[in-house]
Amino acid sequence: MRIRPDIFDIPVINNVILYEETDSTNTRAKAFGDSGCVDGTLIIADTQTAGKGRIGRSFSSPADTGIYMSLLQRPDIEPSLVSGVTLLAAVAVAQALTNIDGTSILPQIKWPNDILIDGKKAVGILTEASCSDKLNYIVTGIGINVNNTSFPKELSDTACSLYSSCGRRFDRETIICRVWKLFDRYYQTFLAEQSLDFITDTYNSLLASYGQPVYILPHKKAIGAQNPYLIDTTGINPCLCMGIDSHGALICRHDDGRLEHVNAGEVSVRGLHGYI
Ligand code: BTN
């Protein structure tokens, strides 16, 4: 993979480090963060040997097909705002892929930050942060299935790529620039406003389960299940997904009318009939 020179026109990108192979671009970015590397360092790998997902899952990262990248940033924000950056990234990726190259691709977001195409996962986002008394750095890791023609058996029900959804290949370098250009725009507003208010309507308009019944599951039920169809929902009542609030928590309406705001650090969401 090569990097397009215009990536350096994007204000959030100051430095790019490219690996043919690494364990995980998030792990590399955190190591660079710990050793004092500058704000705006983007780590990109052609393949990862230990790609990480949320709640201890792995992220399949075959060579020459997907995008695996992590941005190290040192924003001056309260640690409580870190999860907001993940949601900005989700909107940026969803919009970057929308109708890309004249296709009819219309991505949706599965809260908090998976991107689905036709109900299957094409993108995962993993944000990690280092805090002491204040925020030291934040790493936003994005994995996009671009030209994958097949998936490991355990993912075949739930994963897709741009290729599998429209039968043609895409230029990864162009997608990388599109994603960070959009992210940059939202990130600058977020830093200025220190709030997600400006983007909640956009996020909710992309949310796959908006207005739909969902199961809210403690992570311990979801951990280990790469395939959400296999998560046991016995004894859990569905509730209605009402979108995110200005902190990025998901608002759920229970049968008795009670509204609950749930945090991504504590729960996973599953649709009634499968992944969404
Ligand atoms: C998830 O599906 O739960 C999140 C997946 C995030 C994958 C990306 S790929 C680039 C970066 N490096 C990692 O190890 N993970 C993220």
Side-chain angles (χ1 to χ4, degrees), residues 227-245:
N227 183 339
Y229 289 98
L230 303 178
I231 298 173
D232 177 17
T233 54
T234 315
I236 297 182
N237 291 322
C239 54
L240 213 57
C241 167
M242 308 295 290
I244 58 164
D245 66 19

Side-chain angles (χ1 to χ4, degrees), residues 23-27 43 48 50-55 57-61 67-70 113-114 121 123-128 139-144 226 275:
D23 47 0
S24 147
T25 55
N26 266 36
T27 305
I43 320 291
Q48 301 182 117
K52 296 188 291 183
R54 289 179 66 237
I55 52 170
R57 292 180 179 149
S58 57
F59 189 81
S60 171
S61 313
I67 293 172
Y68 318 111
M69 59 186 178
S70 303
N113 49 16
D114 285 345
K121 175 167 168 172
V123 179
I125 301 175
L126 175 65
T127 303
E128 298 183 85
V139 166
T140 304
I142 302 178
I144 308 180
Q226 294 277 7
Y275 192 52

Side-chain angles (χ1 to χ4, degrees), residues 244-256:
I244 58 164
D245 66 19
S246 57
H247 305 286
L250 192 72
I251 309 167
C252 307
R253 195 170 78 208
H254 292 277
D255 275 352
D256 58 6

Side-chain angles (χ1 to χ4, degrees), residues 199-219:
I199 206 168
T200 49
D201 286 351
T202 308
Y203 183 98
N204 287 335
S205 70
L206 290 163
L207 194 58
S209 54
Y210 190 84
Q212 304 288 319
V214 290
Y215 292 114
I216 303 294
L217 304 155
H219 280 329

Side-chain angles (χ1 to χ4, degrees), residues 10 22 89 140 146 151 193 213 220 223 228 232 251 260-261 272:
I10 305 172
T22 190
T140 304
V146 181
F151 290 92
E193 298 191 2
K220 65 175 189 307
I223 284 172
D232 177 17
I251 309 167
E260 188 183 5
H261 295 233
L272 254 51

